[in-house]
């Protein structure tokens, strides 16, 4: 775990911590910690406040990025092995998907990312090695994604080998689930333009049941998650012939 990842882990656990305490816990100078915090603040993961490092509001997408950050980062790094230089991929919204895009921006050349997520496009906007195709449509302010018929029409002009998506839950009778109907409809239209549908999620989502059906099990090729996934769920996914990769 890098020092930046350690800082995010500590701040996400404490929500607010003095810069001096961070310096002592990580055994580096306060100047170094301030430089690290500047980087994390630029990314929008946290902010500084009168000598403290503070986690963003729960309504902020960057807050979700910070929760279980080191775990999501490992999932994203493992999933990035699916993608080579010069590939074209579809990436839907979600915090782990945003970290996948970041991993590609830092470690791949000339990858094209097609996404409906303004958050992801903004998150990696400084990268000179990634091409971004941002799908337009009806803008959802809270999730910072485009949805609806315009987004679906735009994505119909593309074809990709792989699409990566996050989930909100799972229902053994209905499949993978989402909390947002419009987002789910748009994501299904995006998935229709890819050969493989790959889910990125931390294992806590397998304990949830989302509001609406997202994808049937038959459409999902692989899942990247963490080792906390329960043995019963491992067995179930194997029976559904979905490849499971854990970190």
């Amino acid at each position: 775990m890098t020092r930046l990842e350690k800082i995010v882990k500590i701040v996400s656990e404490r929500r607010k911590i003095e810069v001096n305490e961070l310096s002592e816990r990580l055994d580096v100078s306060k100047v170094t910690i301030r430089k690290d915090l500047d980087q994390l603040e630029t990314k929008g993961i946290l902010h500084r406040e009168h000598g403290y490092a503070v986690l963003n509001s729960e309504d902020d997408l960057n807050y979700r990025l910070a929760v279980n950050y080191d775990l999501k980062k490992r999932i994203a790094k493992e999933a990035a092995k699916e993608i080579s230089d010069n590939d074209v991929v579809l990436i839907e919204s979600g915090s782990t998907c945003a970290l996948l895009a970041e991993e590609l921006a830092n470690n791949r050349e000339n990858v094209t990312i097609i996404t409906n997520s303004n958050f992801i496009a903004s998150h990696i906007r400084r990268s000179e090695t990634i091409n971004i195709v941002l799908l337009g449509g009806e803008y959802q302010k809270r999730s910072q994604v485009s949805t609806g018929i315009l987004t679906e029409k735009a994505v119909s002009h593309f074809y990709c080998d792989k699409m990566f998506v996050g989930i909100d839950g799972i229902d053994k009778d209905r499949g993978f689930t989402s909390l947002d109907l419009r987002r789910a409809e748009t994501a299904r239209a995006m998935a229709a333009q890819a050969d493989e549908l790959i889910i990125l999620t931390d294992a806590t989502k397998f304990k949830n049941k989302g509001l609406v059906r997202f994808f049937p099990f038959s459409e999902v090729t692989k899942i990247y998650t963490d080792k906390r996934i329960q043995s019963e769920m491992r067995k179930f996914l194997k029976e559904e012939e979905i490849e499971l990769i854990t970190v």
Side-chain angles (χ1 to χ4, degrees):
M1 190 185 302
T2 67
R3 189 172 64 245
L4 289 179
E5 289 169 348
K6 289 177 182 177
I7 291 172
V8 172
K9 185 175 188 297
I10 292 168
V11 177
S12 64
E13 290 171 350
R14 294 280 296 274
R15 302 186 67 83
K16 183 175 182 179
I17 186 171
E18 283 188 297
V19 172
N20 291 348
E21 185 176 345
L22 275 174
S23 172
E24 291 173 3
R25 287 186 62 170
L26 297 176
D27 195 26
V28 294
S29 70
K30 286 180 280 189
V31 172
T32 298
I33 287 294
R34 290 192 184 99
K35 288 180 179 178
D36 289 343
L37 293 176
D38 284 343
Q39 289 187 54
L40 294 171
E41 190 168 33
T42 298
K43 290 182 178 182
I45 294 175
L46 48 77
H47 65 277
R48 293 168 62 183
E49 182 181 290
H50 306 300
Y52 287 86
V54 184
L55 201 62
N56 286 323
S57 164
E58 291 187 25
D59 290 332
D60 194 315
L61 277 173
N62 290 297
Y63 169 83
R64 295 176 222 170
L65 198 66
V67 174
N68 292 324
Y69 178 84
D70 57 323
L71 186 59
K72 292 175 181 177
K73 188 76 172 175
R74 293 202 303 273
I75 293 170
K77 283 183 177 180
E78 189 66 24
K81 294 177 182 178
E82 297 271 351
I83 304 161
S84 303
D85 293 347
N86 305 308
D87 279 356
V88 180
V89 295
L90 276 160
I91 301 181
E92 213 260 346
S93 62
S95 54
T96 310
C97 285
L99 291 173
L100 171 64
E102 181 182 274
E103 181 70 18
L104 299 178
N106 293 335
N107 297 290
R108 297 291 185 277
E109 295 289 336
N110 198 38
V111 168
T112 297
I113 294 175
I114 302 169
T115 184
N116 65 329
S117 171
N118 290 58
F119 178 82
I120 288 177
S122 177
H123 189 66
I124 59 171
R125 67 189 182 279
R126 292 184 175 85
S127 172
E128 297 182 359
T129 64
I130 296 293
N131 308 307
I132 303 170
V133 176
L134 182 59
L135 303 170
E138 183 180 342
Y139 184 60
Q140 292 189 344
K141 294 179 182 179
R142 185 171 180 179
S143 59
Q144 296 182 42
V145 299
S146 297
T147 62
I149 190 169
L150 291 177
T151 314
E152 294 164 20
K153 185 174 179 60
V155 78
S156 69
H157 294 286
F158 298 96
Y159 166 77
C160 298
D161 288 333
K162 298 178 175 71
M163 174 174 164
F164 298 84
V165 63
I167 59 169
D168 293 317
I170 185 172
D171 186 312
K172 290 183 178 179
D173 296 320
R174 296 186 298 152
F176 298 101
T177 58
S178 171
L179 296 175
D180 188 301
L181 177 59
R182 294 302 295 275
R183 177 192 160 193
E185 290 173 340
T186 299
R188 285 196 289 268
M190 293 172 67
Q193 305 307 119
D195 273 348
E196 289 189 69
L197 180 59
I198 301 171
I199 288 174
L200 309 184
T201 184
D202 64 87
T204 59
K205 298 293 178 63
F206 292 111
K207 299 177 182 178
N208 302 335
K209 284 190 177 183
L211 179 66
V212 297
R213 190 184 191 196
F214 208 176
F215 297 104
F217 299 118
S218 59
E219 292 185 8
V220 176
T221 308
K222 297 177 186 176
I223 298 174
Y224 284 85
T225 188
D226 63 85
K227 292 180 180 178
R228 296 176 301 170
I229 184 171
Q230 296 178 337
S231 58
E232 180 185 348
M233 184 57 67
R234 287 175 185 265
K235 181 181 178 182
F236 176 80
L237 293 171
K238 184 177 180 180
E239 291 171 351
E240 294 295 331
E241 300 182 345
I242 299 173
E243 183 178 352
L244 185 66
I245 298 98
T246 59
V247 300

